[in-house]
Amino acid sequence: MTSFDIAQLPFNERHLRLWREEDPRFLNWPVVYILDDGKRVYVGETLNTASRMRQHLDSAERRSLKAVRLVLDSTFNKSVCLDLESQLIGLFAGDDKYTVLNSNKGVVNADYYDRARYRATFEEIFEALREQELFTRSIAEIENSELFKLSPFKALNRDQAVVTEDILEGLFDDLSTGSDSTIVVQGDPGTGKTIVAVYLIKLLRDIANGVGVDETDGDAMFSDYFTAENRARLADFRVGLVIPQQALRSSLKRVFSKTPGLEKTMVLTPFEVGKSAEKWDLLVVDESHRLNQRANQASGPLNKSFGEINKQLFGADADHYTQLDWIRNRSRHQIFLLDSEQSVRPADLPERLQKDLVNEVRQQHRYYRLLTQMRVQGGADYVSYVRAIMRGDSPKPRLFGDYDFRMFDDLGEMHDAIRALDDEVGLSRLVAGYAWEWKSKRDRSAIDIEIDGRELQWNQTQTDWITSPGAVDQVGSIHTVQGYDLNYVGVIIGPDLRLDPVSQEIVFDRSNYFDKKGMENNPRLGISYTEADIQKLAANIYAVLLTRGVKGCYVYVSDFALRQYLNLYFSV
């Protein structure tokens, strides 16, 4: 039985005064409130509604809002209200009906007593608000959207919040002394590197623009940074987010275009950074391991641009310059989000340079780790376990609680299972290593993958594939899913990997690998990649694919001997 009540009244002094005279909770009770005008929304929490509403009526930005809803519950306390406030802000941002006016300084995922019970109440509150047409979609539908998953209003877990605070502290120290700086944040898949990057940029823009300075609650984790001094330090502060992968970059441009204080032009390619005549104060680089060294690019114009940028920035097209050097040349401060084991092509930033970068920032005490696994419900141990197996190690076989991992002997059965899950929970997709030619890229009627009588095509778009029509009946490559998460993933391990019958080791089969850029030698740098080099990258690809599923991972292995071998580890 619900104990909450939602009071709704016009947002003006007369109606608020009448309500204050009738209900003592208006002066002294923990409340979550929602202000809106049909297009914009603001969510807050307070112990003194009367005082807080007066502040909002005095605000030039919020006095034009039309209605206020007060969520009242006799069992609410401060912690509950902070949690509900964070939940609603994130859901409003993900639903995309309203422009969210909040800053994100207090959107942190903190624990408290009896939280699970309150979270059930939150779902009832959401449904009541949805009946009042404040939301257009269900919680599940919102949480499956890229706008929610990549939102700067997504609540940080404790690990992410601590790293964000460490970054802010170091950055403002460097700004105060005029020192340039480089920061590295390292984390496995699913630890929230992209979340931290987007959250941080929104937070810095809010500090610079004075958003949220009238929010008097000092309990928000990042409130101490909203000072006049920091606002002055960030005046005309130019910030950019560099995303090497096309698919993720397109998604983040849409998120930035819908977020007050952010613009889609802030989301950049490494080439846009290199060509710029103007420097940035801060560049945040997500998936930094995907920055390129001097290598054959995807097109002739990009090859030409690479050399021209080197000449422009350094006076000569010397072969040792990389896109990492471009970033550092074009910015005073840099934050690199990094996971070396997600490098998937020879042109990616060499592991040696990644290690040098980490060693450099360690000495400067600007190195931070994200450890808490937020994507895969199997936890960080699952990620480490999968990576060890794909490296060819022999970890002790084990299971991972309720994480739904299954091996299939028939691809059609796995595809049907993924289809059913997509109908049930959404965001369930097939993915594969690049072990089949992409014939359908030129001939839309061509079949790319045919196994067990099931005919499939590769992803029919290179951007927004996951949410595109018909995606559940296509197969995504590493380039469409790196940086994203799915509810369920069905991974097809192709004939590019097989089990050697003599050594009983996983080996790479170059004849069944069709990503030309994934095994291309680098004559400019005098590098010829061995089978072991390419196998390491192929293993990284499969490790990334096997860690995309939040709720579960299904696997079909083309090579029968390798299927039996992997069954030893996943069918305990």
Side-chain angles (χ1 to χ4, degrees), residues 45 152 169 194 251 295 320 366 410 414 425 456 461 535 547:
E45 61 79 32
E169 184 177 354
T194 305
S251 296
H320 68 277
R366 292 291 188 269
D410 184 278
M414 185 172 84
V425 299
L456 297 164
T461 177
Q535 178 172 338
T547 54

Tab-separated table of all heavy atoms in Angstrom, residues 45 152 169 194 251 295 320 366 410 414 425 456 461 535 547:
chain	number	residue	atom	x	y	z
A	45	GLU	N	15.016	18.822	-3.987
A	45	GLU	CA	14.580	18.289	-2.692
A	45	GLU	C	14.888	19.335	-1.630
A	45	GLU	O	15.824	20.117	-1.770
A	45	GLU	CB	15.244	16.947	-2.389
A	45	GLU	CG	16.765	16.950	-2.305
A	45	GLU	CD	17.293	17.468	-0.978
A	45	GLU	OE1	16.608	17.263	0.048
A	45	GLU	OE2	18.366	18.093	-0.974
A	152	PRO	N	24.692	13.089	-18.970
A	152	PRO	CA	25.473	13.690	-17.887
A	152	PRO	C	24.716	13.739	-16.568
A	152	PRO	O	25.276	14.126	-15.539
A	152	PRO	CB	25.764	15.110	-18.402
A	152	PRO	CG	24.680	15.392	-19.368
A	152	PRO	CD	24.331	14.079	-20.002
A	169	GLU	N	39.741	18.334	-8.099
A	169	GLU	CA	40.699	18.896	-7.152
A	169	GLU	C	42.035	19.160	-7.838
A	169	GLU	O	42.619	20.247	-7.705
A	169	GLU	CB	40.888	17.933	-5.982
A	169	GLU	CG	41.800	18.475	-4.896
A	169	GLU	CD	41.918	17.540	-3.705
A	169	GLU	OE1	41.196	16.517	-3.669
A	169	GLU	OE2	42.739	17.830	-2.822
A	194	THR	N	33.176	6.499	-19.869
A	194	THR	CA	32.428	7.488	-20.649
A	194	THR	C	31.499	8.303	-19.760
A	194	THR	O	31.351	9.514	-19.936
A	194	THR	CB	31.617	6.787	-21.758
A	194	THR	OG1	32.494	5.980	-22.552
A	194	THR	CG2	30.924	7.805	-22.654
A	251	SER	N	26.470	9.207	-31.216
A	251	SER	CA	25.543	9.138	-30.085
A	251	SER	C	25.770	10.279	-29.108
A	251	SER	O	24.826	10.915	-28.625
A	251	SER	CB	25.694	7.791	-29.364
A	251	SER	OG	25.322	6.721	-30.206
A	295	ALA	N	49.873	5.573	-39.498
A	295	ALA	CA	49.575	4.320	-40.192
A	295	ALA	C	48.624	4.618	-41.331
A	295	ALA	O	48.063	5.712	-41.420
A	295	ALA	CB	48.955	3.303	-39.223
A	320	HIS	N	57.096	9.474	-35.953
A	320	HIS	CA	56.826	9.099	-34.566
A	320	HIS	C	55.654	9.875	-33.947
A	320	HIS	O	55.187	9.524	-32.870
A	320	HIS	CB	58.074	9.289	-33.702
A	320	HIS	CG	58.467	10.729	-33.520
A	320	HIS	ND1	59.208	11.426	-34.455
A	320	HIS	CD2	58.224	11.609	-32.513
A	320	HIS	CE1	59.407	12.662	-34.034
A	320	HIS	NE2	58.820	12.804	-32.851
A	366	ARG	N	48.635	12.122	-10.918
A	366	ARG	CA	47.422	12.433	-11.688
A	366	ARG	C	46.902	11.167	-12.385
A	366	ARG	O	46.378	11.226	-13.488
A	366	ARG	CB	47.709	13.522	-12.734
A	366	ARG	CG	48.009	14.895	-12.153
A	366	ARG	CD	46.770	15.508	-11.514
A	366	ARG	NE	46.968	16.894	-11.124
A	366	ARG	CZ	47.398	17.279	-9.926
A	366	ARG	NH1	47.664	16.355	-9.017
A	366	ARG	NH2	47.543	18.567	-9.646
A	410	ASP	N	23.884	-24.428	-31.753
A	410	ASP	CA	23.181	-24.081	-32.978
A	410	ASP	C	22.978	-22.566	-33.010
A	410	ASP	O	22.378	-21.995	-32.092
A	410	ASP	CB	21.831	-24.805	-33.041
A	410	ASP	CG	21.107	-24.553	-34.345
A	410	ASP	OD1	20.455	-23.491	-34.460
A	410	ASP	OD2	21.182	-25.404	-35.248
A	414	MET	N	20.445	-19.734	-30.861
A	414	MET	CA	20.917	-18.558	-30.122
A	414	MET	C	20.258	-17.293	-30.662
A	414	MET	O	19.835	-16.424	-29.887
A	414	MET	CB	22.437	-18.441	-30.220
A	414	MET	CG	23.003	-17.300	-29.361
A	414	MET	SD	24.801	-17.260	-29.259
A	414	MET	CE	25.207	-16.352	-30.759
A	425	VAL	N	12.992	-7.571	-22.990
A	425	VAL	CA	13.696	-6.526	-22.232
A	425	VAL	C	14.371	-5.494	-23.128
A	425	VAL	O	14.895	-4.487	-22.634
A	425	VAL	CB	14.752	-7.145	-21.275
A	425	VAL	CG1	14.092	-8.056	-20.268
A	425	VAL	CG2	15.844	-7.892	-22.048
A	456	LEU	N	22.438	-14.466	-42.215
A	456	LEU	CA	22.496	-13.167	-41.542
A	456	LEU	C	23.383	-12.204	-42.317
A	456	LEU	O	24.275	-12.607	-43.052
A	456	LEU	CB	23.053	-13.337	-40.122
A	456	LEU	CG	22.234	-14.189	-39.153
A	456	LEU	CD1	23.075	-14.588	-37.949
A	456	LEU	CD2	20.980	-13.455	-38.709
A	461	THR	N	24.189	-0.356	-41.002
A	461	THR	CA	24.602	1.029	-40.807
A	461	THR	C	25.783	1.035	-39.856
A	461	THR	O	25.900	0.162	-38.985
A	461	THR	CB	23.459	1.903	-40.253
A	461	THR	OG1	23.941	3.225	-40.020
A	461	THR	CG2	22.931	1.348	-38.928
A	535	GLN	N	46.651	-11.980	-33.338
A	535	GLN	CA	45.829	-12.793	-32.447
A	535	GLN	C	45.507	-12.027	-31.162
A	535	GLN	O	44.391	-12.108	-30.643
A	535	GLN	CB	46.524	-14.109	-32.094
A	535	GLN	CG	45.685	-14.962	-31.110
A	535	GLN	CD	46.253	-16.344	-30.884
A	535	GLN	OE1	47.000	-16.848	-31.709
A	535	GLN	NE2	45.895	-16.962	-29.767
A	547	THR	N	31.882	-8.806	-23.121
A	547	THR	CA	31.584	-7.989	-21.933
A	547	THR	C	30.626	-6.850	-22.266
A	547	THR	O	30.607	-5.829	-21.576
A	547	THR	CB	32.882	-7.423	-21.329
A	547	THR	OG1	33.616	-6.715	-22.333
A	547	THR	CG2	33.750	-8.533	-20.772
